[in-house]
Amino acid sequence: MEATLFYILAAVLLTGTLLAITARQAVRSIVYLVTSFFALALMFYLLGAPLIAAFEVIIYAGAIMVLFLFVIMMLELESPEKLPQPHFTNWLPALLLAGAVVGSLVVLLCSRLRAVPPGFVEIPVRQFAFALFKQYGVAVEVVSMQLLFALVGALYLGRRR
């Protein structure tokens, strides 16, 4: 059953990502990308990495997508008055993908699968964080600075002249 869920989530991930790339409107692209991030988080959970799954939801599906939406709204790429009213058929792919992710989550929760398969060693979050910041502290800081530079660049591009 785990393999079936994995392949369903992989199909949702690939379809959502392709729809995000080919979407004509940026907001729809973000909706498809968030759906892909949730599918990826469930895949990480199935692979025995619940902490990475939580990071995927909190950081990528939450913070980064809110930042992207903020930049899109700030730059006013598309005027809402010029866009046609969305119909149900426009949102049908996103609803189907979201339904597949929610259905997979329900099956996963009802089956009581362990987050860590046998053979893996569980380590506490404190030990993981210590290893992350002890060995990869510079890399974490570089990534955080890149995100800060991206935000400053977006604010510079979006300023009024």
Side-chain angles (χ1 to χ4, degrees), residues 5-42:
L5 276 177
F6 184 83
Y7 289 124
I8 289 171
L9 290 169
V12 168
L13 176 68
L14 290 174
T15 306
T17 305
L18 286 174
L19 287 172
I21 292 169
T22 59
R24 291 186 179 184
Q25 295 175 348
V27 175
R28 287 187 187 166
S29 179
I30 287 178
V31 170
Y32 292 133
L33 206 53
V34 166
T35 306
S36 296
F37 284 149
F38 277 114
L40 185 61
L42 284 174

PDB file of all heavy atoms in Angstrom, residues 5-42:
ATOM      1  N   LEU A   5       0.594   4.476  -2.645  1.00  0.00           N
ATOM      2  CA  LEU A   5       0.476   5.879  -2.221  1.00  0.00           C
ATOM      3  C   LEU A   5       1.640   6.708  -2.759  1.00  0.00           C
ATOM      4  O   LEU A   5       1.451   7.853  -3.181  1.00  0.00           O
ATOM      5  CB  LEU A   5       0.450   5.974  -0.695  1.00  0.00           C
ATOM      6  CG  LEU A   5      -0.883   5.762  -0.018  1.00  0.00           C
ATOM      7  CD1 LEU A   5      -0.716   5.817   1.492  1.00  0.00           C
ATOM      8  CD2 LEU A   5      -1.896   6.759  -0.466  1.00  0.00           C
ATOM      9  N   PHE A   6       2.828   6.134  -2.720  1.00  0.00           N
ATOM     10  CA  PHE A   6       4.003   6.854  -3.215  1.00  0.00           C
ATOM     11  C   PHE A   6       3.838   7.204  -4.690  1.00  0.00           C
ATOM     12  O   PHE A   6       4.109   8.325  -5.105  1.00  0.00           O
ATOM     13  CB  PHE A   6       5.262   6.012  -2.991  1.00  0.00           C
ATOM     14  CG  PHE A   6       6.523   6.717  -3.385  1.00  0.00           C
ATOM     15  CD1 PHE A   6       7.133   7.590  -2.517  1.00  0.00           C
ATOM     16  CD2 PHE A   6       7.081   6.513  -4.637  1.00  0.00           C
ATOM     17  CE1 PHE A   6       8.289   8.249  -2.869  1.00  0.00           C
ATOM     18  CE2 PHE A   6       8.237   7.168  -5.005  1.00  0.00           C
ATOM     19  CZ  PHE A   6       8.847   8.036  -4.117  1.00  0.00           C
ATOM     20  N   TYR A   7       3.394   6.258  -5.500  1.00  0.00           N
ATOM     21  CA  TYR A   7       3.239   6.511  -6.934  1.00  0.00           C
ATOM     22  C   TYR A   7       2.098   7.481  -7.221  1.00  0.00           C
ATOM     23  O   TYR A   7       2.187   8.299  -8.139  1.00  0.00           O
ATOM     24  CB  TYR A   7       3.061   5.203  -7.700  1.00  0.00           C
ATOM     25  CG  TYR A   7       4.326   4.393  -7.757  1.00  0.00           C
ATOM     26  CD1 TYR A   7       4.356   3.088  -7.305  1.00  0.00           C
ATOM     27  CD2 TYR A   7       5.506   4.945  -8.244  1.00  0.00           C
ATOM     28  CE1 TYR A   7       5.524   2.350  -7.346  1.00  0.00           C
ATOM     29  CE2 TYR A   7       6.674   4.217  -8.282  1.00  0.00           C
ATOM     30  CZ  TYR A   7       6.678   2.920  -7.836  1.00  0.00           C
ATOM     31  OH  TYR A   7       7.840   2.203  -7.879  1.00  0.00           O
ATOM     32  N   ILE A   8       1.028   7.414  -6.440  1.00  0.00           N
ATOM     33  CA  ILE A   8      -0.059   8.384  -6.606  1.00  0.00           C
ATOM     34  C   ILE A   8       0.448   9.788  -6.289  1.00  0.00           C
ATOM     35  O   ILE A   8       0.190  10.744  -7.033  1.00  0.00           O
ATOM     36  CB  ILE A   8      -1.262   8.017  -5.716  1.00  0.00           C
ATOM     37  CG1 ILE A   8      -1.957   6.763  -6.255  1.00  0.00           C
ATOM     38  CG2 ILE A   8      -2.262   9.175  -5.626  1.00  0.00           C
ATOM     39  CD1 ILE A   8      -3.018   6.205  -5.332  1.00  0.00           C
ATOM     40  N   LEU A   9       1.180   9.916  -5.191  1.00  0.00           N
ATOM     41  CA  LEU A   9       1.713  11.226  -4.819  1.00  0.00           C
ATOM     42  C   LEU A   9       2.755  11.713  -5.817  1.00  0.00           C
ATOM     43  O   LEU A   9       2.838  12.913  -6.100  1.00  0.00           O
ATOM     44  CB  LEU A   9       2.299  11.177  -3.410  1.00  0.00           C
ATOM     45  CG  LEU A   9       1.277  11.033  -2.290  1.00  0.00           C
ATOM     46  CD1 LEU A   9       1.961  10.731  -0.969  1.00  0.00           C
ATOM     47  CD2 LEU A   9       0.419  12.280  -2.190  1.00  0.00           C
ATOM     48  N   ALA A  10       3.543  10.796  -6.380  1.00  0.00           N
ATOM     49  CA  ALA A  10       4.515  11.185  -7.399  1.00  0.00           C
ATOM     50  C   ALA A  10       3.802  11.705  -8.643  1.00  0.00           C
ATOM     51  O   ALA A  10       4.236  12.698  -9.247  1.00  0.00           O
ATOM     52  CB  ALA A  10       5.413  10.004  -7.754  1.00  0.00           C
ATOM     53  N   ALA A  11       2.703  11.062  -9.025  1.00  0.00           N
ATOM     54  CA  ALA A  11       1.923  11.538 -10.175  1.00  0.00           C
ATOM     55  C   ALA A  11       1.321  12.910  -9.895  1.00  0.00           C
ATOM     56  O   ALA A  11       1.325  13.794 -10.765  1.00  0.00           O
ATOM     57  CB  ALA A  11       0.839  10.531 -10.521  1.00  0.00           C
ATOM     58  N   VAL A  12       0.810  13.102  -8.680  1.00  0.00           N
ATOM     59  CA  VAL A  12       0.258  14.410  -8.298  1.00  0.00           C
ATOM     60  C   VAL A  12       1.359  15.464  -8.324  1.00  0.00           C
ATOM     61  O   VAL A  12       1.157  16.583  -8.810  1.00  0.00           O
ATOM     62  CB  VAL A  12      -0.406  14.335  -6.902  1.00  0.00           C
ATOM     63  CG1 VAL A  12      -0.718  15.712  -6.360  1.00  0.00           C
ATOM     64  CG2 VAL A  12      -1.665  13.500  -6.970  1.00  0.00           C
ATOM     65  N   LEU A  13       2.531  15.115  -7.818  1.00  0.00           N
ATOM     66  CA  LEU A  13       3.661  16.048  -7.794  1.00  0.00           C
ATOM     67  C   LEU A  13       4.065  16.461  -9.204  1.00  0.00           C
ATOM     68  O   LEU A  13       4.216  17.653  -9.493  1.00  0.00           O
ATOM     69  CB  LEU A  13       4.834  15.417  -7.061  1.00  0.00           C
ATOM     70  CG  LEU A  13       6.127  16.216  -7.028  1.00  0.00           C
ATOM     71  CD1 LEU A  13       5.960  17.448  -6.175  1.00  0.00           C
ATOM     72  CD2 LEU A  13       7.250  15.365  -6.498  1.00  0.00           C
ATOM     73  N   LEU A  14       4.220  15.504 -10.086  1.00  0.00           N
ATOM     74  CA  LEU A  14       4.621  15.823 -11.457  1.00  0.00           C
ATOM     75  C   LEU A  14       3.543  16.612 -12.200  1.00  0.00           C
ATOM     76  O   LEU A  14       3.844  17.584 -12.896  1.00  0.00           O
ATOM     77  CB  LEU A  14       4.954  14.542 -12.217  1.00  0.00           C
ATOM     78  CG  LEU A  14       6.223  13.828 -11.777  1.00  0.00           C
ATOM     79  CD1 LEU A  14       6.373  12.506 -12.505  1.00  0.00           C
ATOM     80  CD2 LEU A  14       7.428  14.705 -11.993  1.00  0.00           C
ATOM     81  N   THR A  15       2.295  16.211 -12.043  1.00  0.00           N
ATOM     82  CA  THR A  15       1.199  16.921 -12.716  1.00  0.00           C
ATOM     83  C   THR A  15       1.072  18.348 -12.193  1.00  0.00           C
ATOM     84  O   THR A  15       0.931  19.293 -12.977  1.00  0.00           O
ATOM     85  CB  THR A  15      -0.126  16.165 -12.516  1.00  0.00           C
ATOM     86  OG1 THR A  15       0.038  14.815 -12.938  1.00  0.00           O
ATOM     87  CG2 THR A  15      -1.238  16.815 -13.304  1.00  0.00           C
ATOM     88  N   GLY A  16       1.123  18.507 -10.874  1.00  0.00           N
ATOM     89  CA  GLY A  16       1.025  19.848 -10.296  1.00  0.00           C
ATOM     90  C   GLY A  16       2.167  20.750 -10.725  1.00  0.00           C
ATOM     91  O   GLY A  16       1.975  21.930 -11.012  1.00  0.00           O
ATOM     92  N   THR A  17       3.365  20.190 -10.796  1.00  0.00           N
ATOM     93  CA  THR A  17       4.516  20.983 -11.221  1.00  0.00           C
ATOM     94  C   THR A  17       4.409  21.371 -12.688  1.00  0.00           C
ATOM     95  O   THR A  17       4.705  22.512 -13.058  1.00  0.00           O
ATOM     96  CB  THR A  17       5.813  20.205 -10.952  1.00  0.00           C
ATOM     97  OG1 THR A  17       5.851  19.842  -9.569  1.00  0.00           O
ATOM     98  CG2 THR A  17       7.018  21.041 -11.275  1.00  0.00           C
ATOM     99  N   LEU A  18       3.978  20.441 -13.534  1.00  0.00           N
ATOM    100  CA  LEU A  18       3.790  20.772 -14.955  1.00  0.00           C
ATOM    101  C   LEU A  18       2.706  21.829 -15.139  1.00  0.00           C
ATOM    102  O   LEU A  18       2.852  22.743 -15.958  1.00  0.00           O
ATOM    103  CB  LEU A  18       3.448  19.516 -15.755  1.00  0.00           C
ATOM    104  CG  LEU A  18       4.603  18.559 -16.005  1.00  0.00           C
ATOM    105  CD1 LEU A  18       4.110  17.289 -16.670  1.00  0.00           C
ATOM    106  CD2 LEU A  18       5.668  19.228 -16.855  1.00  0.00           C
ATOM    107  N   LEU A  19       1.621  21.719 -14.373  1.00  0.00           N
ATOM    108  CA  LEU A  19       0.570  22.736 -14.457  1.00  0.00           C
ATOM    109  C   LEU A  19       1.066  24.087 -13.935  1.00  0.00           C
ATOM    110  O   LEU A  19       0.666  25.135 -14.439  1.00  0.00           O
ATOM    111  CB  LEU A  19      -0.674  22.286 -13.686  1.00  0.00           C
ATOM    112  CG  LEU A  19      -1.485  21.175 -14.342  1.00  0.00           C
ATOM    113  CD1 LEU A  19      -2.581  20.684 -13.398  1.00  0.00           C
ATOM    114  CD2 LEU A  19      -2.085  21.639 -15.655  1.00  0.00           C
ATOM    115  N   ALA A  20       1.937  24.060 -12.918  1.00  0.00           N
ATOM    116  CA  ALA A  20       2.499  25.314 -12.400  1.00  0.00           C
ATOM    117  C   ALA A  20       3.377  25.987 -13.446  1.00  0.00           C
ATOM    118  O   ALA A  20       3.398  27.212 -13.567  1.00  0.00           O
ATOM    119  CB  ALA A  20       3.284  25.057 -11.126  1.00  0.00           C
ATOM    120  N   ILE A  21       4.114  25.178 -14.199  1.00  0.00           N
ATOM    121  CA  ILE A  21       4.997  25.741 -15.220  1.00  0.00           C
ATOM    122  C   ILE A  21       4.198  26.301 -16.387  1.00  0.00           C
ATOM    123  O   ILE A  21       4.538  27.345 -16.939  1.00  0.00           O
ATOM    124  CB  ILE A  21       5.992  24.670 -15.696  1.00  0.00           C
ATOM    125  CG1 ILE A  21       6.964  24.329 -14.574  1.00  0.00           C
ATOM    126  CG2 ILE A  21       6.753  25.119 -16.933  1.00  0.00           C
ATOM    127  CD1 ILE A  21       7.813  23.115 -14.854  1.00  0.00           C
ATOM    128  N   THR A  22       3.120  25.625 -16.758  1.00  0.00           N
ATOM    129  CA  THR A  22       2.366  26.025 -17.952  1.00  0.00           C
ATOM    130  C   THR A  22       1.203  26.959 -17.669  1.00  0.00           C
ATOM    131  O   THR A  22       0.543  27.396 -18.614  1.00  0.00           O
ATOM    132  CB  THR A  22       1.834  24.779 -18.676  1.00  0.00           C
ATOM    133  OG1 THR A  22       0.995  24.037 -17.789  1.00  0.00           O
ATOM    134  CG2 THR A  22       2.982  23.906 -19.156  1.00  0.00           C
ATOM    135  N   ALA A  23       0.930  27.276 -16.403  1.00  0.00           N
ATOM    136  CA  ALA A  23      -0.194  28.173 -16.078  1.00  0.00           C
ATOM    137  C   ALA A  23       0.082  29.575 -16.610  1.00  0.00           C
ATOM    138  O   ALA A  23       1.205  30.073 -16.547  1.00  0.00           O
ATOM    139  CB  ALA A  23      -0.417  28.215 -14.574  1.00  0.00           C
ATOM    140  N   ARG A  24      -0.956  30.190 -17.148  1.00  0.00           N
ATOM    141  CA  ARG A  24      -0.792  31.538 -17.704  1.00  0.00           C
ATOM    142  C   ARG A  24      -0.869  32.620 -16.638  1.00  0.00           C
ATOM    143  O   ARG A  24      -0.320  33.695 -16.823  1.00  0.00           O
ATOM    144  CB  ARG A  24      -1.863  31.791 -18.765  1.00  0.00           C
ATOM    145  CG  ARG A  24      -1.650  30.948 -19.987  1.00  0.00           C
ATOM    146  CD  ARG A  24      -2.612  31.317 -21.056  1.00  0.00           C
ATOM    147  NE  ARG A  24      -2.373  30.508 -22.241  1.00  0.00           N
ATOM    148  CZ  ARG A  24      -3.002  30.655 -23.366  1.00  0.00           C
ATOM    149  NH1 ARG A  24      -3.932  31.575 -23.473  1.00  0.00           N
ATOM    150  NH2 ARG A  24      -2.726  29.888 -24.386  1.00  0.00           N
ATOM    151  N   GLN A  25      -1.570  32.346 -15.559  1.00  0.00           N
ATOM    152  CA  GLN A  25      -1.690  33.334 -14.488  1.00  0.00           C
ATOM    153  C   GLN A  25      -0.821  32.906 -13.315  1.00  0.00           C
ATOM    154  O   GLN A  25      -0.792  31.737 -12.934  1.00  0.00           O
ATOM    155  CB  GLN A  25      -3.147  33.465 -14.060  1.00  0.00           C
ATOM    156  CG  GLN A  25      -4.031  34.018 -15.161  1.00  0.00           C
ATOM    157  CD  GLN A  25      -5.477  34.034 -14.763  1.00  0.00           C
ATOM    158  OE1 GLN A  25      -5.864  33.440 -13.770  1.00  0.00           O
ATOM    159  NE2 GLN A  25      -6.287  34.730 -15.542  1.00  0.00           N
ATOM    160  N   ALA A  26      -0.130  33.866 -12.740  1.00  0.00           N
ATOM    161  CA  ALA A  26       0.847  33.571 -11.692  1.00  0.00           C
ATOM    162  C   ALA A  26       0.185  33.033 -10.424  1.00  0.00           C
ATOM    163  O   ALA A  26       0.750  32.163  -9.756  1.00  0.00           O
ATOM    164  CB  ALA A  26       1.640  34.827 -11.375  1.00  0.00           C
ATOM    165  N   VAL A  27      -0.991  33.499 -10.092  1.00  0.00           N
ATOM    166  CA  VAL A  27      -1.655  33.040  -8.872  1.00  0.00           C
ATOM    167  C   VAL A  27      -2.040  31.568  -9.006  1.00  0.00           C
ATOM    168  O   VAL A  27      -1.896  30.783  -8.067  1.00  0.00           O
ATOM    169  CB  VAL A  27      -2.874  33.919  -8.552  1.00  0.00           C
ATOM    170  CG1 VAL A  27      -3.640  33.388  -7.362  1.00  0.00           C
ATOM    171  CG2 VAL A  27      -2.430  35.356  -8.290  1.00  0.00           C
ATOM    172  N   ARG A  28      -2.510  31.180 -10.178  1.00  0.00           N
ATOM    173  CA  ARG A  28      -2.838  29.766 -10.399  1.00  0.00           C
ATOM    174  C   ARG A  28      -1.579  28.913 -10.330  1.00  0.00           C
ATOM    175  O   ARG A  28      -1.606  27.792  -9.834  1.00  0.00           O
ATOM    176  CB  ARG A  28      -3.516  29.584 -11.749  1.00  0.00           C
ATOM    177  CG  ARG A  28      -4.925  30.114 -11.744  1.00  0.00           C
ATOM    178  CD  ARG A  28      -5.622  29.782 -13.012  1.00  0.00           C
ATOM    179  NE  ARG A  28      -6.915  30.449 -13.036  1.00  0.00           N
ATOM    180  CZ  ARG A  28      -7.655  30.581 -14.094  1.00  0.00           C
ATOM    181  NH1 ARG A  28      -7.242  30.095 -15.245  1.00  0.00           N
ATOM    182  NH2 ARG A  28      -8.810  31.188 -14.028  1.00  0.00           N
ATOM    183  N   SER A  29      -0.503  29.438 -10.832  1.00  0.00           N
ATOM    184  CA  SER A  29       0.758  28.713 -10.763  1.00  0.00           C
ATOM    185  C   SER A  29       1.160  28.465  -9.313  1.00  0.00           C
ATOM    186  O   SER A  29       1.639  27.387  -8.975  1.00  0.00           O
ATOM    187  CB  SER A  29       1.838  29.516 -11.494  1.00  0.00           C
ATOM    188  OG  SER A  29       3.055  28.862 -11.434  1.00  0.00           O
ATOM    189  N   ILE A  30       0.936  29.429  -8.454  1.00  0.00           N
ATOM    190  CA  ILE A  30       1.252  29.271  -7.035  1.00  0.00           C
ATOM    191  C   ILE A  30       0.359  28.212  -6.400  1.00  0.00           C
ATOM    192  O   ILE A  30       0.817  27.401  -5.593  1.00  0.00           O
ATOM    193  CB  ILE A  30       1.143  30.624  -6.307  1.00  0.00           C
ATOM    194  CG1 ILE A  30       2.330  31.489  -6.693  1.00  0.00           C
ATOM    195  CG2 ILE A  30       1.080  30.442  -4.807  1.00  0.00           C
ATOM    196  CD1 ILE A  30       2.323  32.860  -6.093  1.00  0.00           C
ATOM    197  N   VAL A  31      -0.920  28.192  -6.769  1.00  0.00           N
ATOM    198  CA  VAL A  31      -1.824  27.179  -6.219  1.00  0.00           C
ATOM    199  C   VAL A  31      -1.357  25.773  -6.612  1.00  0.00           C
ATOM    200  O   VAL A  31      -1.317  24.865  -5.777  1.00  0.00           O
ATOM    201  CB  VAL A  31      -3.274  27.434  -6.697  1.00  0.00           C
ATOM    202  CG1 VAL A  31      -4.179  26.263  -6.352  1.00  0.00           C
ATOM    203  CG2 VAL A  31      -3.819  28.715  -6.083  1.00  0.00           C
ATOM    204  N   TYR A  32      -0.970  25.593  -7.861  1.00  0.00           N
ATOM    205  CA  TYR A  32      -0.475  24.288  -8.302  1.00  0.00           C
ATOM    206  C   TYR A  32       0.832  23.926  -7.594  1.00  0.00           C
ATOM    207  O   TYR A  32       1.052  22.771  -7.224  1.00  0.00           O
ATOM    208  CB  TYR A  32      -0.254  24.271  -9.811  1.00  0.00           C
ATOM    209  CG  TYR A  32      -1.515  24.367 -10.618  1.00  0.00           C
ATOM    210  CD1 TYR A  32      -1.610  25.242 -11.690  1.00  0.00           C
ATOM    211  CD2 TYR A  32      -2.627  23.582 -10.327  1.00  0.00           C
ATOM    212  CE1 TYR A  32      -2.769  25.332 -12.439  1.00  0.00           C
ATOM    213  CE2 TYR A  32      -3.783  23.665 -11.064  1.00  0.00           C
ATOM    214  CZ  TYR A  32      -3.851  24.538 -12.130  1.00  0.00           C
ATOM    215  OH  TYR A  32      -4.998  24.621 -12.862  1.00  0.00           O
ATOM    216  N   LEU A  33       1.686  24.901  -7.391  1.00  0.00           N
ATOM    217  CA  LEU A  33       2.963  24.634  -6.739  1.00  0.00           C
ATOM    218  C   LEU A  33       2.775  24.267  -5.270  1.00  0.00           C
ATOM    219  O   LEU A  33       3.469  23.386  -4.750  1.00  0.00           O
ATOM    220  CB  LEU A  33       3.875  25.854  -6.882  1.00  0.00           C
ATOM    221  CG  LEU A  33       5.364  25.615  -6.831  1.00  0.00           C
ATOM    222  CD1 LEU A  33       5.786  24.547  -7.817  1.00  0.00           C
ATOM    223  CD2 LEU A  33       6.112  26.895  -7.110  1.00  0.00           C
ATOM    224  N   VAL A  34       1.837  24.907  -4.595  1.00  0.00           N
ATOM    225  CA  VAL A  34       1.547  24.559  -3.199  1.00  0.00           C
ATOM    226  C   VAL A  34       1.022  23.131  -3.113  1.00  0.00           C
ATOM    227  O   VAL A  34       1.407  22.361  -2.221  1.00  0.00           O
ATOM    228  CB  VAL A  34       0.558  25.570  -2.577  1.00  0.00           C
ATOM    229  CG1 VAL A  34      -0.011  25.058  -1.272  1.00  0.00           C
ATOM    230  CG2 VAL A  34       1.234  26.904  -2.357  1.00  0.00           C
ATOM    231  N   THR A  35       0.169  22.749  -4.065  1.00  0.00           N
ATOM    232  CA  THR A  35      -0.322  21.372  -4.099  1.00  0.00           C
ATOM    233  C   THR A  35       0.838  20.400  -4.292  1.00  0.00           C
ATOM    234  O   THR A  35       0.902  19.348  -3.649  1.00  0.00           O
ATOM    235  CB  THR A  35      -1.350  21.204  -5.229  1.00  0.00           C
ATOM    236  OG1 THR A  35      -2.377  22.176  -5.070  1.00  0.00           O
ATOM    237  CG2 THR A  35      -1.962  19.834  -5.205  1.00  0.00           C
ATOM    238  N   SER A  36       1.772  20.759  -5.157  1.00  0.00           N
ATOM    239  CA  SER A  36       2.950  19.910  -5.367  1.00  0.00           C
ATOM    240  C   SER A  36       3.784  19.810  -4.097  1.00  0.00           C
ATOM    241  O   SER A  36       4.303  18.734  -3.778  1.00  0.00           O
ATOM    242  CB  SER A  36       3.807  20.477  -6.497  1.00  0.00           C
ATOM    243  OG  SER A  36       3.115  20.449  -7.704  1.00  0.00           O
ATOM    244  N   PHE A  37       3.929  20.900  -3.361  1.00  0.00           N
ATOM    245  CA  PHE A  37       4.707  20.871  -2.128  1.00  0.00           C
ATOM    246  C   PHE A  37       4.059  19.964  -1.077  1.00  0.00           C
ATOM    247  O   PHE A  37       4.756  19.261  -0.342  1.00  0.00           O
ATOM    248  CB  PHE A  37       4.897  22.272  -1.563  1.00  0.00           C
ATOM    249  CG  PHE A  37       5.929  23.089  -2.295  1.00  0.00           C
ATOM    250  CD1 PHE A  37       5.800  24.464  -2.380  1.00  0.00           C
ATOM    251  CD2 PHE A  37       7.018  22.491  -2.892  1.00  0.00           C
ATOM    252  CE1 PHE A  37       6.743  25.224  -3.053  1.00  0.00           C
ATOM    253  CE2 PHE A  37       7.967  23.236  -3.565  1.00  0.00           C
ATOM    254  CZ  PHE A  37       7.831  24.608  -3.642  1.00  0.00           C
ATOM    255  N   PHE A  38       2.731  19.991  -0.991  1.00  0.00           N
ATOM    256  CA  PHE A  38       2.061  19.105  -0.035  1.00  0.00           C
ATOM    257  C   PHE A  38       2.243  17.640  -0.436  1.00  0.00           C
ATOM    258  O   PHE A  38       2.446  16.782   0.430  1.00  0.00           O
ATOM    259  CB  PHE A  38       0.578  19.453   0.091  1.00  0.00           C
ATOM    260  CG  PHE A  38       0.316  20.592   1.032  1.00  0.00           C
ATOM    261  CD1 PHE A  38      -0.184  21.796   0.567  1.00  0.00           C
ATOM    262  CD2 PHE A  38       0.575  20.473   2.383  1.00  0.00           C
ATOM    263  CE1 PHE A  38      -0.415  22.848   1.421  1.00  0.00           C
ATOM    264  CE2 PHE A  38       0.345  21.520   3.260  1.00  0.00           C
ATOM    265  CZ  PHE A  38      -0.155  22.713   2.779  1.00  0.00           C
ATOM    266  N   ALA A  39       2.168  17.347  -1.727  1.00  0.00           N
ATOM    267  CA  ALA A  39       2.405  15.973  -2.185  1.00  0.00           C
ATOM    268  C   ALA A  39       3.836  15.550  -1.866  1.00  0.00           C
ATOM    269  O   ALA A  39       4.073  14.414  -1.431  1.00  0.00           O
ATOM    270  CB  ALA A  39       2.122  15.862  -3.687  1.00  0.00           C
ATOM    271  N   LEU A  40       4.785  16.447  -2.066  1.00  0.00           N
ATOM    272  CA  LEU A  40       6.178  16.127  -1.754  1.00  0.00           C
ATOM    273  C   LEU A  40       6.375  15.898  -0.262  1.00  0.00           C
ATOM    274  O   LEU A  40       7.130  15.006   0.148  1.00  0.00           O
ATOM    275  CB  LEU A  40       7.089  17.253  -2.249  1.00  0.00           C
ATOM    276  CG  LEU A  40       8.584  17.018  -2.106  1.00  0.00           C
ATOM    277  CD1 LEU A  40       9.019  15.803  -2.915  1.00  0.00           C
ATOM    278  CD2 LEU A  40       9.346  18.249  -2.554  1.00  0.00           C
ATOM    279  N   ALA A  41       5.690  16.681   0.567  1.00  0.00           N
ATOM    280  CA  ALA A  41       5.791  16.485   2.013  1.00  0.00           C
ATOM    281  C   ALA A  41       5.268  15.107   2.416  1.00  0.00           C
ATOM    282  O   ALA A  41       5.889  14.420   3.244  1.00  0.00           O
ATOM    283  CB  ALA A  41       5.010  17.581   2.746  1.00  0.00           C
ATOM    284  N   LEU A  42       4.167  14.679   1.825  1.00  0.00           N
ATOM    285  CA  LEU A  42       3.656  13.340   2.132  1.00  0.00           C
ATOM    286  C   LEU A  42       4.607  12.252   1.631  1.00  0.00           C
ATOM    287  O   LEU A  42       4.752  11.199   2.268  1.00  0.00           O
ATOM    288  CB  LEU A  42       2.271  13.148   1.523  1.00  0.00           C
ATOM    289  CG  LEU A  42       1.132  13.843   2.269  1.00  0.00           C
ATOM    290  CD1 LEU A  42      -0.167  13.710   1.501  1.00  0.00           C
ATOM    291  CD2 LEU A  42       0.986  13.284   3.662  1.00  0.00           C
TER     292      LEU A  42
END
